[in-house]
Amino acid sequence: MKAERLIAALLCLIVSIPTLSAQKKVREENWFGNRYFKWDRLTDAEVHYRKALEANPKDPTTLYNLSNLLYRTDRGEENGKLMETLYPMIKDLPDDKAADVAHNAGNSALRRKDYEHAVAFFKESLRHRPTDDETRYNLALAQKLLEKQKQDERQQNQDQNKDQKQNRDKQQDQNQQQQQSPKDQDQNKKPDKPQDKPQQNQKDRMSKQAAEQILKSFLQDEKQTQKKVEQAQQQKGGGGNKREKNW
């Protein structure tokens, strides 16, 4: 029985050794990272924070330190991804650190124009530190920007719907024009110009005048011919009785 207990204790010790070693590694790397961060040697600080995460990828303290560094170096997108990992573990941090993490996460979201997440992060920060005036101000700003973003999206959707409706109406008009019968197309033709009819009337008047001129010339020739015949008869008959006209 004692032997079994001894074996169990040894097994627990063996299992706990890597865990203790990892925790020690995390503490050491964070210590060096914090020193470099304080000296503004941010590249060296990040190297040590990354080594601490290799030892324990879910260590809240390391994630908090790395988040501060990413925020300091204006790497908002990367910090936002880190926040997705750190955010569920905020509850495991002391209130001050949890408030700082959520506050920084909100600021990173603001820079990315991710106003919805910014509002959520600032609210979380105020849960841990309700008296923080800066966080309250940032929350109010994020809420206003979020509302404006939604209004712009609604207006953009309305404009798109309006443009689509105009395009559909235009297409329907074109289809109706293409489907018109030849009779309808003839009716849509423009009428003849007013000057076309007067030109035709002028032509008619010219033809009538020409006909009258021909008739007049014919009658005049007929009179001359009759006169010549009468003169010839008078000369032949020596002034005898005139004969009736043979018409």
Side-chain angles (χ1 to χ4, degrees), residues 58 60-61 87-95 98 128:
K58 295 184 179 181
T61 301
Y87 191 76
M89 292 183 286
I90 287 180
K91 62 182 183 297
D92 298 330
L93 296 172
D95 281 338
H128 296 278

Side-chain angles (χ1 to χ4, degrees), residues 57-109:
K58 295 184 179 181
D59 179 62
T61 301
T62 306
L63 290 170
Y64 167 78
N65 291 336
L66 183 58
S67 172
N68 284 336
L69 186 144
L70 295 176
Y71 180 76
R72 176 81 172 272
T73 55
D74 197 20
R75 289 147 69 182
E77 184 175 356
E78 186 175 356
N79 192 22
K81 293 179 180 179
L82 182 64
M83 287 302 99
E84 293 177 0
T85 303
L86 179 59
Y87 191 76
M89 292 183 286
I90 287 180
K91 62 182 183 297
D92 298 330
L93 296 172
D95 281 338
D96 285 343
K97 286 189 176 182
D100 288 342
V101 168
H103 180 89
N104 290 346
N107 286 339
S108 297

Side-chain angles (χ1 to χ4, degrees), residues 168-184:
R168 287 196 301 267
D169 293 342
K170 183 178 180 181
Q171 185 63 38
Q172 288 177 356
D173 292 341
Q174 292 177 352
N175 293 338
Q176 289 177 356
Q177 292 177 359
Q178 292 175 356
Q179 293 175 358
Q180 280 184 331
S181 63
K183 182 179 179 180
D184 295 333

Side-chain angles (χ1 to χ4, degrees), residues 1-228:
M1 193 70 178
K2 291 183 179 180
E4 293 178 354
R5 291 179 180 177
L6 180 61
I7 293 173
L10 289 175
L11 290 174
C12 291
L13 180 62
I14 293 173
V15 172
S16 63
I17 288 176
T19 303
L20 293 173
S21 177
Q23 290 177 350
K24 181 180 179 181
K25 177 72 171 177
V26 169
R27 288 195 300 269
E28 289 178 352
E29 295 299 341
N30 274 294
W31 187 88
F32 283 110
N34 290 340
R35 291 296 178 276
Y36 285 121
F37 187 89
K38 184 178 181 180
W39 298 334
D40 205 25
R41 294 174 57 178
L42 301 182
T43 301
D44 293 330
E46 184 174 357
V47 169
H48 287 284
Y49 292 147
R50 298 288 183 185
K51 288 181 179 180
L53 282 180
E54 289 177 0
N56 184 1
K58 295 184 179 181
D59 179 62
T61 301
T62 306
L63 290 170
Y64 167 78
N65 291 336
L66 183 58
S67 172
N68 284 336
L69 186 144
L70 295 176
Y71 180 76
R72 176 81 172 272
T73 55
D74 197 20
R75 289 147 69 182
E77 184 175 356
E78 186 175 356
N79 192 22
K81 293 179 180 179
L82 182 64
M83 287 302 99
E84 293 177 0
T85 303
L86 179 59
Y87 191 76
M89 292 183 286
I90 287 180
K91 62 182 183 297
D92 298 330
L93 296 172
D95 281 338
D96 285 343
K97 286 189 176 182
D100 288 342
V101 168
H103 180 89
N104 290 346
N107 286 339
S108 297
L110 275 179
R111 292 180 181 180
R112 301 193 309 272
K113 298 183 179 180
D114 184 2
Y115 304 126
E116 187 171 358
H117 281 93
V119 169
F121 284 134
F122 289 135
K123 286 182 177 179
E124 181 66 25
S125 180
L126 288 174
R127 290 189 186 97
H128 296 278
R129 191 163 54 208
T131 59
D132 193 323
D133 292 336
E134 183 179 355
T135 303
R136 281 202 298 269
Y137 171 82
N138 289 357
L139 173 60
L141 176 62
Q143 289 173 331
K144 290 182 179 179
L145 292 173
L146 177 60
E147 181 60 27
K148 184 179 184 302
Q149 187 181 61
K150 291 181 178 179
Q151 290 177 354
D152 292 342
E153 290 176 353
R154 288 195 294 267
Q155 184 63 42
Q156 184 177 4
N157 291 334
Q158 291 176 359
D159 293 341
Q160 289 178 351
N161 293 335
K162 184 178 179 180
D163 293 340
Q164 290 175 357
K165 184 178 183 302
Q166 290 177 348
N167 291 334
R168 287 196 301 267
D169 293 342
K170 183 178 180 181
Q171 185 63 38
Q172 288 177 356
D173 292 341
Q174 292 177 352
N175 293 338
Q176 289 177 356
Q177 292 177 359
Q178 292 175 356
Q179 293 175 358
Q180 280 184 331
S181 63
K183 182 179 179 180
D184 295 333
Q185 294 177 358
D186 291 340
Q187 291 177 352
N188 291 332
K189 289 183 179 179
K190 295 182 179 179
D192 295 337
K193 295 181 180 179
Q195 63 180 5
D196 294 343
K197 189 173 182 180
Q199 289 178 355
Q200 184 65 29
N201 292 338
Q202 182 69 21
K203 182 178 179 181
D204 293 341
R205 286 197 297 269
M206 290 176 64
S207 300
K208 185 176 181 180
Q209 290 175 356
E212 291 177 351
Q213 184 67 30
I214 294 172
L215 179 59
K216 185 177 180 180
S217 298
F218 175 79
L219 293 175
Q220 186 175 1
D221 292 340
E222 183 183 2
K223 288 180 180 181
Q224 290 178 357
T225 302
Q226 183 179 359
K227 187 177 181 180
K228 290 178 180 180

